[in-house]
Amino acid sequence: RGDKLVCEAYWSPVKANENHRMYSQTKSYVGMAIGQLIAEDKLGLHDKIIDYFPEYLPKEVHPYLAAQTIEHMLNMHTCFTTCPWLSNHGGDRVRYYFSRKPEHYPGTVFFYDSTGSFVLGALVQKLTGKTFLEYLKDKALRKIGFSETSRVLTCPGGFAWSDSALLCTSMDMLLFGRLLANKGEWN
């Protein structure tokens, strides 16, 4: 309550100081990293995602994919309405993302698109040379007491599994939530 922790409890198998997988909350950290890069003028909301990954593009880029922006991806208004991670993608999720056939014009349909979040995490890694988590630790998370043992799993291909594989403590989640609730202000 306010700045005081009034109750702390954990249910098995979760323990106070052990990291556990946060699944889709990972996407919020990726969104914060993208926001930080925008604040640093390293990218813009209206930038086209294909401009950052030319080495992954097919010879002919579908116009729907060509029109897709960072903002579309953050809002889960991508050009896809399927999330086929379980299908055979040969281990390279980024290449697979850009090789798929789009289903509609971006910005017209909401779909909970984990694949877009993964690609945004790859973008953070490409622009900073760090996973979204290490980048955020350098920018803010260490300052608020986020645990150094926190980590993110890596997928084949070398990119952080940035749609669902953040491992941290429940207290880390609380610290991150407070930072967001306080609009980036701390102490």
Side-chain angles (χ1 to χ4, degrees):
R1 187 169 297 140
D3 289 328
K4 304 284 185 214
L5 184 62
V6 295
C7 178
E8 184 173 11
Y10 299 90
W11 287 265
S12 183
V14 175
K15 294 183 174 84
N17 294 319
E18 288 184 8
N19 292 331
H20 58 281
R21 192 165 173 187
M22 298 302 171
Y23 292 95
S24 284
Q25 189 188 39
T26 305
K27 294 172 180 68
S28 297
Y29 291 78
V30 171
M32 183 178 181
I34 292 290
Q36 182 64 38
L37 287 169
I38 290 169
E40 294 172 2
D41 288 327
K42 293 183 179 169
L43 59 90
L45 277 177
H46 303 292
D47 292 356
K48 307 292 191 236
I49 192 63
I50 64 168
D51 293 341
Y52 292 97
F53 293 96
E55 70 276 24
Y56 289 97
L57 299 178
K59 288 183 181 181
E60 291 187 37
V61 177
H62 194 285
Y64 295 172
L65 183 59
Q68 188 169 281
T69 65
I70 303 295
E71 184 175 25
H72 291 136
M73 297 173 80
L74 287 169
N75 291 328
M76 295 199 173
H77 289 110
T78 68
C79 54
F80 301 109
T81 50
T82 56
C83 186
W85 276 152
L86 299 177
S87 64
N88 182 9
H89 50 72
D92 190 336
R93 287 179 163 197
V94 174
R95 187 167 310 284
Y96 178 71
Y97 184 84
F98 290 110
S99 71
R100 293 168 49 206
K101 183 178 179 189
E103 295 142 25
H104 56 268
Y105 195 81
T108 60
V109 176
F110 173 84
F111 177 73
Y112 190 82
D113 183 8
S114 289
T115 64
S117 295
F118 182 89
V119 172
L120 288 176
L123 177 58
V124 172
Q125 198 165 331
K126 190 171 184 188
L127 293 178
T128 67
K130 302 173 186 177
T131 68
F132 68 89
L133 183 60
E134 287 305 316
Y135 174 67
L136 287 178
K137 282 181 179 181
D138 290 348
K139 294 297 177 182
L141 297 182
R142 284 188 182 93
K143 294 174 190 161
I144 65 172
F146 206 89
S147 61
E148 277 300 323
T149 60
S150 60
R151 62 190 181 98
V152 63
L153 300 178
T154 302
C155 283
F159 288 112
W161 193 344
S162 47
D163 56 333
S164 67
L166 169 67
L167 289 87
C168 65
T169 67
S170 297
M171 185 56 72
D172 291 334
M173 287 176 28
L174 174 65
L175 295 170
F176 182 74
R178 286 195 69 224
L179 180 65
L180 296 180
N182 291 329
K183 298 180 179 162
E185 296 291 322
W186 193 251
N187 291 332

